[in-house]
Amino acid sequence: MKSIAALQDVVTPWSDGLEPSDAELDTIEREMPLIEARVELLDAQITVLDRTPSALDERRIRRARRKVLAARRDLTNQVAAAVGMAGGAA
């Protein structure tokens, strides 16, 4: 039986600890409000998957959507300010 070996280099270079870099951790920290808002929206949507949404459920989903949009706007403005672009998303 022949063994199969890769003939090409690995696409992603192997890291010693496979730990995220400081820059990656900073990016995750900066994006955390948006990540949390998306999780909240997903949670609200999952809640009503198997039943008809009540008025309270609909308000919760709308509030979560607005929170996602606000977090996206804030993140876009932060990135634009960091890059030095004039203006911003809002």
Side-chain angles (χ1 to χ4, degrees):
M1 180 183 270
K2 286 185 169 183
S3 62
I4 300 173
L7 299 176
Q8 298 175 349
D9 291 336
V10 178
V11 175
T12 306
W14 186 260
S15 175
D16 286 339
L18 292 179
E19 297 293 326
S21 67
D22 289 340
E24 291 169 330
L25 290 173
D26 290 341
T27 301
I28 292 169
E29 186 68 29
R30 190 178 328 115
E31 293 178 358
M32 192 53 70
L34 177 58
I35 294 168
E36 290 172 346
R38 286 181 174 171
V39 168
E40 186 177 323
L41 175 60
L42 186 59
D43 184 49
Q45 291 170 332
I46 288 172
T47 301
V48 297
L49 278 178
D50 61 345
R51 61 184 169 93
T52 304
S54 67
L56 182 62
D57 294 327
E58 291 173 357
R59 277 187 284 173
R60 182 177 176 211
I61 291 171
R62 279 195 310 270
R63 189 178 315 117
R65 283 184 181 144
R66 285 193 303 266
K67 193 172 182 181
V68 167
L69 290 174
R72 273 191 202 159
R73 180 199 62 219
D74 295 343
L75 182 61
T76 301
N77 285 338
Q78 286 175 0
V79 170
V83 173
M85 295 174 54

